[in-house]
Amino acid sequence: MSVRRERDQLARELDAARRRIADLEAALLRRGRDTLTAVLRIEAFREQLVEELRRTRRRGLQGALVVLQIDRLADIHRDHGFAAGDAVLGALVEALRAGTRTEDLIGRTGDDRFALMLREAGEAATRACVARLLGELQGLAIESVGGISVSAGVALFGPEDDDPVALFAIAGGALADAQAAGGGRAVIAADDGEDLGVSAALQRRDAVEALAIALLERDRYTGEHSESVVEMAVAVARSLGLSPTQVEDVRAAALLHDIGKVGIPDAILNKPGPLTPDERTVMAEHPVIGERILQAIGGFAQVAGIVRHEHESWDGSGYPDGLAGAAIPIGSRIILACDAYHAMTSDRPYRARMSHADAFMELRRCAGRQFDPQVTAALVARLYHERAGRALHAV
Ligand SMILES: [Fe+2]
Ligand SMILES: [Fe+2]
């Protein structure tokens, strides 16, 4: 075969492989599954949890919700690269599958967070299962990384529990305790009174998760959109060299940037067409409403500030304060660009999605006007890298 024919053939195969991957991803997404690990995404997981709580109540059963987070995934990314991070996630999911029963449920609730629902499991069985899982993960030998240190928070449930948001908050509080104690361990939330567990837990980072679920319930598109923006925003924040604390603030703000939409009337929020000027004015209040919601929770001052300014433009033409350039918090600038990219490449009821190539061009075109040029450059580099990596993966 001539060199040229060989090359043409290769190009055709590459193209076919890319199409297969795209189809596979679309099929996974349609079934409510995460594209990287093929476990349930948070909204599908949550639906099943609600269903299980109903069954638990009807039949007087018990069960457990376990939230797990990989300790220091950011360090793995930094020290070993994103491919190693993906290998860690894959190995984790495999271990979770192997270590649970088929009737249990695995979901991915964040880029380094997973949830398990153990059906008809009491405290002793749950304890044994989680301890075995963490031990197995620690003993893994993933090339260059070694074992995985994972922290877990457990909320047990029984017939009287009917609130999935509260359960996530309780498990999240226990997870925070496990992490504060150095990670690599599990904490089971103590069952000592109804509101104590919830209100104490809500004071901490898991409030983020609870709010994100509330948003998902209110407006599915905005909830899913926010989750997609998180990964991009965190990657851009890292590549711009932000401190770990700033990166965590960006992560929370990205997940909650549109939380203020819970305060926007349904008729406007779900309108299947462009908004009138009056409706747009109401919609434009969502960053300020979001700031108020976050200010009401302790420890979220920075995040609230980022959310307030998520629609400010680099050239000063944005809202609510018309800030320009470096006066806009860096987190807000990052979220604006990632948000725009995700919105452009998503289908909406009133317009079709833009191709990734066109969205790249649009980002570049608006750099220096709507978007911070440095942020745009980092985002485009990241997206380019990611898409090239995925295509290579496919071959
Ligand atoms: Fe927004
Ligand atoms: Fe948004």
Side-chain angles (χ1 to χ4, degrees):
M1 209 189 287
S2 76
V3 175
R4 179 192 282 156
R5 271 182 55 201
E6 220 170 297
R7 209 193 306 133
D8 285 353
Q9 165 126 18
L10 212 60
R12 268 198 305 278
E13 281 170 9
L14 202 68
D15 234 40
R18 282 204 191 101
R19 268 200 305 276
R20 270 203 307 279
I21 291 284
D23 287 351
L24 201 64
E25 281 184 358
L28 282 169
L29 279 178
R30 268 201 303 279
R31 298 201 329 250
R33 286 180 187 267
D34 176 63
T35 49
L36 181 66
T37 56
V39 296
L40 289 179
R41 279 145 54 93
I42 184 165
E43 60 273 24
F45 182 89
R46 211 193 137 278
E47 275 166 24
Q48 298 247 8
L49 178 62
V50 169
E51 195 43 55
E52 180 63 12
L53 289 177
R54 264 191 222 126
R55 202 174 73 93
T56 300
R57 159 170 292 228
R58 253 192 340 258
R59 306 195 16 206
L61 305 168
Q62 285 181 297
L65 172 70
V66 184
V67 294
L68 302 128
Q69 185 163 25
I70 301 174
D71 296 326
R72 295 171 288 277
L73 181 63
D75 292 353
I76 297 176
H77 280 150
R78 191 196 53 218
D79 299 339
H80 305 280
F82 284 105
D86 287 354
V88 163
L89 289 171
L92 171 65
V93 169
E94 219 171 279
L96 294 181
R97 279 214 184 91
T100 52
R101 302 158 301 173
T102 39
E103 66 264 35
D104 296 331
L105 204 66
I106 308 171
R108 187 172 185 196
T109 57
D111 52 355
D112 55 355
R113 282 174 90 116
F114 290 83
L116 283 179
M117 182 178 79
L118 306 177
R119 290 183 213 263
E120 300 184 29
E123 180 169 350
T126 302
R127 239 178 234 289
C129 170
V130 174
R132 197 180 54 237
L133 276 173
L134 295 192
E136 261 161 32
L137 288 165
Q138 223 128 37
L140 284 178
I142 306 161
E143 50 173 311
S144 81
V145 181
I148 321 171
S149 171
V150 170
S151 300
V154 182
L156 300 167
F157 56 81
E160 66 292 344
D161 293 301
D162 58 358
D163 183 354
V165 175
L167 271 185
F168 263 106
I170 292 170
L175 172 64
D177 290 340
Q179 289 165 330
R185 67 196 72 209
V187 169
I188 299 195
D191 185 15
D192 51 0
E194 307 81 69
D195 50 299
L196 181 93
V198 182
S199 63
L202 278 175
Q203 294 303 316
R204 290 192 295 259
R205 271 187 39 183
D206 41 285
V208 171
E209 203 153 348
L211 283 172
I213 292 170
L215 181 60
L216 202 58
E217 278 199 328
R218 180 70 213 284
D219 171 13
R220 182 168 280 258
Y221 166 76
T222 303
E224 291 176 352
H225 153 80
S226 305
E227 282 173 15
S228 317
V229 171
V230 171
E231 282 185 48
M232 275 187 260
V234 167
V236 170
R238 279 201 194 110
S239 71
L240 290 174
L242 267 57
S243 76
T245 329
Q246 283 178 305
V247 172
E248 282 317 301
D249 285 346
V250 168
R251 180 195 303 280
L255 190 60
L256 299 175
H257 71 274
D258 281 330
I259 188 69
K261 288 190 180 169
V262 298
I264 305 293
D266 271 332
I268 298 180
L269 193 59
N270 300 325
K271 188 176 174 186
L275 301 178
T276 65
D278 279 350
E279 290 167 338
R280 227 176 292 140
T281 310
V282 175
M283 189 63 139
E285 284 170 18
H286 78 266
V288 178
I289 301 173
E291 180 194 31
R292 264 206 309 273
I293 292 175
L294 293 171
Q295 273 173 344
I297 310 170
F300 278 93
Q302 296 295 327
V303 178
I306 299 176
V307 168
R308 178 183 178 94
H309 298 297
E310 56 128 352
H311 284 283
E312 305 281 5
S313 279
W314 183 249
D315 62 5
S317 64
Y319 60 91
D321 301 314
L323 298 185
I328 308 166
I330 178 69
S332 314
R333 285 179 260 151
I334 293 173
I335 291 169
L336 181 73
C338 297
D339 176 274
Y341 178 79
H342 180 258
M344 285 189 284
T345 53
S346 307
D347 279 324
R348 300 296 289 135
Y350 46 90
R351 60 156 178 73
R353 77 174 76 184
M354 211 183 250
S355 75
H356 290 281
D358 287 347
F360 277 12
M361 301 264 282
E362 189 60 17
L363 281 179
R364 284 223 182 85
R365 198 178 64 77
C366 299
R369 289 189 254 175
Q370 196 181 357
F371 309 126
D372 175 345
Q374 254 186 310
V375 166
T376 315
L379 175 60
V380 169
R382 152 85 191 171
L383 291 168
Y384 186 77
H385 190 81
E386 188 183 80
R387 299 194 69 74
R390 236 191 259 158
L392 278 179
H393 233 66
V395 186

